[in-house]
Amino acid sequence: LVHMCHEGVKTEKKPAIGTIKQYFLYIAKPLTLLVQDMFLDDLGSDEISRIFKIIINYKDETSEKMKEETLRELINFHKAIEKYGTADIDELNWEYIAEGVNLNQIPKPNSNIVTPNEYLHCLHLVSKNIVGNDKYQRNWPALFFIIGYRFGLRLGEIRRLRVQDVQLYRKELYIQVQNSREGRTKTISSVRQAPLLGSLVPEELEFLNDHLN
């Protein structure tokens, strides 16, 4: 809702009260009822896709035009989450969500791949802009990049990591992704051992050693 009020909608730069009320009735209310006390981080992409599909058809008397508007706002809601990083949500099945709705502008899967050189460039920029006296706070921005790229972890999985989850076995470094008091994985298959992908460069080793020590 904050994103909508800040960015505007398709036909209004500043949404009218009626537009905001409509958002509450068709998006916020059913989403709150369906999700209840769960976090979006704890739901898999299939489950969120199913919830979005229910929201589109939440009211039996909803017109085709209203279904299109609801789908459009759900797409904007998902874009806002991706933009501001408020939740860690995987790629959704928009073709399944939009089934039966006449809207051609559904998001396409994002297949952009970050190359090793692009990753190292980003890591270098992050490490050069770290400020503060607290070592823990200084290291985390770079550690997010390293762990996410080198071990293939989601943002929510990184946030829930504990030091003991980083393990060394037979000279091989891996991360144990599991349920803990910090939170649960999205699915049963998400519980896994994530091995190191490739080899760490000196800059990465410096951050990991400094943080783990």
Short mmCIF file of all heavy atoms in Angstrom, two decimals, residues 22-32 55 69-74 77:
data_model
loop_
_atom_site.label_atom_id
_atom_site.label_comp_id
_atom_site.label_asym_id
_atom_site.label_seq_id
_atom_site.Cartn_x
_atom_site.Cartn_y
_atom_site.Cartn_z
N GLN A 22 -10.41 0.22 -2.32
CA GLN A 22 -10.54 -0.95 -3.19
C GLN A 22 -9.38 -1.91 -2.98
O GLN A 22 -9.55 -3.13 -2.97
CB GLN A 22 -10.59 -0.48 -4.65
CG GLN A 22 -10.74 -1.60 -5.66
CD GLN A 22 -10.90 -1.05 -7.07
OE1 GLN A 22 -11.93 -0.49 -7.41
NE2 GLN A 22 -9.85 -1.18 -7.87
N TYR A 23 -8.17 -1.35 -2.79
CA TYR A 23 -6.99 -2.18 -2.55
C TYR A 23 -7.16 -2.98 -1.25
O TYR A 23 -6.84 -4.16 -1.19
CB TYR A 23 -5.74 -1.30 -2.46
CG TYR A 23 -4.47 -2.07 -2.19
CD1 TYR A 23 -3.73 -2.63 -3.23
CD2 TYR A 23 -4.00 -2.25 -0.88
CE1 TYR A 23 -2.58 -3.35 -2.98
CE2 TYR A 23 -2.85 -2.97 -0.63
CZ TYR A 23 -2.15 -3.51 -1.68
OH TYR A 23 -1.02 -4.23 -1.43
N PHE A 24 -7.66 -2.32 -0.22
CA PHE A 24 -7.88 -3.01 1.05
C PHE A 24 -8.88 -4.14 0.89
O PHE A 24 -8.69 -5.24 1.41
CB PHE A 24 -8.38 -2.02 2.11
CG PHE A 24 -7.28 -1.38 2.90
CD1 PHE A 24 -6.99 -0.03 2.74
CD2 PHE A 24 -6.52 -2.11 3.80
CE1 PHE A 24 -5.97 0.56 3.47
CE2 PHE A 24 -5.50 -1.53 4.52
CZ PHE A 24 -5.22 -0.18 4.36
N LEU A 25 -9.97 -3.89 0.17
CA LEU A 25 -11.04 -4.87 0.05
C LEU A 25 -10.63 -6.08 -0.79
O LEU A 25 -10.97 -7.22 -0.46
CB LEU A 25 -12.29 -4.22 -0.55
CG LEU A 25 -13.03 -3.22 0.35
CD1 LEU A 25 -14.16 -2.55 -0.42
CD2 LEU A 25 -13.57 -3.91 1.60
N TYR A 26 -9.90 -5.82 -1.88
CA TYR A 26 -9.61 -6.90 -2.83
C TYR A 26 -8.23 -7.52 -2.68
O TYR A 26 -7.98 -8.61 -3.19
CB TYR A 26 -9.79 -6.38 -4.27
CG TYR A 26 -11.24 -6.19 -4.65
CD1 TYR A 26 -11.88 -4.98 -4.44
CD2 TYR A 26 -11.97 -7.24 -5.19
CE1 TYR A 26 -13.22 -4.80 -4.79
CE2 TYR A 26 -13.30 -7.08 -5.54
CZ TYR A 26 -13.93 -5.86 -5.33
OH TYR A 26 -15.25 -5.70 -5.67
N ILE A 27 -7.29 -6.82 -2.01
CA ILE A 27 -5.93 -7.34 -1.85
C ILE A 27 -5.59 -7.56 -0.38
O ILE A 27 -5.35 -8.69 0.05
CB ILE A 27 -4.88 -6.39 -2.48
CG1 ILE A 27 -5.20 -6.11 -3.95
CG2 ILE A 27 -3.48 -6.99 -2.32
CD1 ILE A 27 -5.05 -7.30 -4.86
N ALA A 28 -5.56 -6.48 0.39
CA ALA A 28 -5.07 -6.55 1.77
C ALA A 28 -5.92 -7.46 2.66
O ALA A 28 -5.39 -8.30 3.40
CB ALA A 28 -5.00 -5.15 2.38
N LYS A 29 -7.23 -7.33 2.58
CA LYS A 29 -8.11 -8.12 3.46
C LYS A 29 -8.00 -9.62 3.19
O LYS A 29 -7.73 -10.40 4.12
CB LYS A 29 -9.56 -7.65 3.32
CG LYS A 29 -10.52 -8.38 4.24
CD LYS A 29 -11.94 -7.86 4.07
CE LYS A 29 -12.91 -8.65 4.96
NZ LYS A 29 -14.30 -8.16 4.80
N PRO A 30 -8.20 -10.08 1.94
CA PRO A 30 -8.08 -11.53 1.71
C PRO A 30 -6.67 -12.06 1.95
O PRO A 30 -6.49 -13.17 2.43
CB PRO A 30 -8.49 -11.70 0.23
CG PRO A 30 -8.37 -10.35 -0.37
CD PRO A 30 -8.66 -9.37 0.73
N LEU A 31 -5.64 -11.24 1.63
CA LEU A 31 -4.26 -11.68 1.85
C LEU A 31 -4.01 -11.89 3.35
O LEU A 31 -3.41 -12.90 3.75
CB LEU A 31 -3.28 -10.64 1.30
CG LEU A 31 -1.78 -10.98 1.43
CD1 LEU A 31 -1.44 -12.25 0.67
CD2 LEU A 31 -0.93 -9.82 0.94
N THR A 32 -4.49 -10.96 4.17
CA THR A 32 -4.33 -11.08 5.62
C THR A 32 -5.05 -12.30 6.16
O THR A 32 -4.53 -13.04 7.01
CB THR A 32 -4.85 -9.82 6.33
OG1 THR A 32 -4.16 -8.68 5.81
CG2 THR A 32 -4.61 -9.89 7.83
N ILE A 55 -7.04 -15.07 -4.16
CA ILE A 55 -7.38 -13.65 -3.99
C ILE A 55 -8.09 -13.11 -5.23
O ILE A 55 -9.06 -12.35 -5.12
CB ILE A 55 -6.11 -12.83 -3.69
CG1 ILE A 55 -5.59 -13.17 -2.29
CG2 ILE A 55 -6.38 -11.34 -3.81
CD1 ILE A 55 -4.26 -12.54 -1.95
N GLU A 69 -7.87 -6.05 -12.58
CA GLU A 69 -7.29 -5.05 -11.69
C GLU A 69 -6.62 -5.70 -10.48
O GLU A 69 -5.54 -5.28 -10.05
CB GLU A 69 -8.39 -4.07 -11.20
CG GLU A 69 -8.82 -3.06 -12.24
CD GLU A 69 -7.69 -2.13 -12.65
OE1 GLU A 69 -6.89 -1.75 -11.78
OE2 GLU A 69 -7.58 -1.80 -13.84
N THR A 70 -7.26 -6.74 -9.94
CA THR A 70 -6.69 -7.44 -8.79
C THR A 70 -5.37 -8.10 -9.16
O THR A 70 -4.39 -8.02 -8.42
CB THR A 70 -7.68 -8.50 -8.26
OG1 THR A 70 -8.91 -7.88 -7.90
CG2 THR A 70 -7.11 -9.21 -7.04
N LEU A 71 -5.33 -8.74 -10.33
CA LEU A 71 -4.10 -9.37 -10.80
C LEU A 71 -3.01 -8.32 -10.98
O LEU A 71 -1.86 -8.52 -10.59
CB LEU A 71 -4.34 -10.11 -12.10
CG LEU A 71 -3.10 -10.71 -12.79
CD1 LEU A 71 -2.39 -11.70 -11.86
CD2 LEU A 71 -3.49 -11.41 -14.10
N ARG A 72 -3.38 -7.19 -11.56
CA ARG A 72 -2.40 -6.12 -11.79
C ARG A 72 -1.82 -5.62 -10.46
O ARG A 72 -0.61 -5.38 -10.34
CB ARG A 72 -3.06 -4.96 -12.55
CG ARG A 72 -2.07 -3.89 -13.02
CD ARG A 72 -2.74 -2.84 -13.89
NE ARG A 72 -3.07 -3.36 -15.20
CZ ARG A 72 -4.31 -3.61 -15.62
NH1 ARG A 72 -5.33 -3.39 -14.82
NH2 ARG A 72 -4.52 -4.06 -16.84
N GLU A 73 -2.69 -5.47 -9.45
CA GLU A 73 -2.20 -5.01 -8.14
C GLU A 73 -1.36 -6.07 -7.44
O GLU A 73 -0.43 -5.74 -6.70
CB GLU A 73 -3.38 -4.60 -7.25
CG GLU A 73 -4.07 -3.32 -7.70
CD GLU A 73 -3.10 -2.15 -7.86
OE1 GLU A 73 -2.12 -2.08 -7.11
OE2 GLU A 73 -3.33 -1.32 -8.75
N LEU A 74 -1.68 -7.35 -7.65
CA LEU A 74 -0.85 -8.41 -7.08
C LEU A 74 0.54 -8.40 -7.70
O LEU A 74 1.54 -8.63 -7.02
CB LEU A 74 -1.52 -9.78 -7.29
CG LEU A 74 -2.70 -10.10 -6.37
CD1 LEU A 74 -3.38 -11.39 -6.82
CD2 LEU A 74 -2.26 -10.21 -4.92
N PHE A 77 2.28 -5.57 -6.13
CA PHE A 77 2.63 -5.96 -4.76
C PHE A 77 3.91 -6.79 -4.76
O PHE A 77 4.82 -6.58 -3.96
CB PHE A 77 1.47 -6.75 -4.15
CG PHE A 77 1.76 -7.37 -2.81
CD1 PHE A 77 1.89 -6.58 -1.68
CD2 PHE A 77 1.89 -8.74 -2.68
CE1 PHE A 77 2.16 -7.14 -0.44
CE2 PHE A 77 2.16 -9.32 -1.45
CZ PHE A 77 2.29 -8.51 -0.32
#
